Amino acid sequence: EVQLVESGGGLVQLGGSLRLSCAASGFTFGRYAMSWVRQAPGKELEWVSAINNSGENTVLADSVKGRFTISRDNAKNTVYLQLNSLKTEDTAMYYCAKGKNTSDYCAASWCYTWNWGQGTQVTVSS
């Protein structure tokens, strides 16, 4: 069974930083691209970032480019999202996602799958 367990969210002031983690299990982690998506209350799901299976390639949404960094540690089956210079519009539930197939790596949510029941809440206060 695929498990993606997010952590690291919290309440942070405008301009602050957080580091999100996602511990993965139930699949061969190093064969899949990983991604982060987010959803704010009343808003559509937004794709945030992705990293290919080796970690050599990353891609970020324009809304977070220059502020967020995605990374992974294949030895630990963990993917990270470093959030810097946080804005109020970054407030959302953040979900870790895995490629649907080993060949999937894209800058959009459609090629990833995630567990709606988990997630980690990020709240940025002004």
Side-chain angles (χ1 to χ4, degrees):
E1 179 188 0
V2 172
Q3 289 198 339
L4 301 170
V5 180
E6 301 91 342
S7 62
L11 176 63
V12 63
Q13 288 190 333
L14 189 66
S17 297
L18 284 172
R19 190 194 195 200
L20 308 184
S21 298
C22 171
S25 62
F27 62 102
T28 307
F29 183 77
R31 296 186 64 192
Y32 289 83
M34 298 296 293
S35 181
W36 289 90
V37 298
R38 67 185 183 184
Q39 188 165 35
K43 295 188 177 181
E44 293 186 354
L45 182 80
E46 180 184 11
W47 172 83
V48 175
S49 184
I51 186 167
N52 74 332
N53 66 313
S54 69
E56 292 179 351
N57 297 308
T58 65
V59 60
L60 294 163
D62 287 344
S63 60
V64 304
K65 202 168 289 183
R67 301 187 298 119
F68 291 9
T69 304
I70 188 171
S71 61
R72 66 189 294 162
D73 185 337
N74 285 351
K76 295 182 178 180
N77 285 6
T78 301
V79 61
Y80 306 97
L81 187 67
Q82 178 68 41
L83 289 63
N84 296 330
S85 302
L86 281 161
K87 303 176 180 180
T88 54
E89 52 262 45
D90 295 319
T91 294
M93 185 71 79
Y94 284 70
Y95 299 92
C96 170
K98 68 175 281 290
K100 290 181 179 177
N101 302 290
T102 56
S103 58
D104 287 331
Y105 170 62
C106 70
S109 61
W110 64 266
C111 59
Y112 302 100
T113 182
W114 57 93
N115 184 353
W116 282 110
Q118 298 286 337
T120 187
Q121 177 68 40
V122 172
T123 303
V124 183
S125 66
S126 57

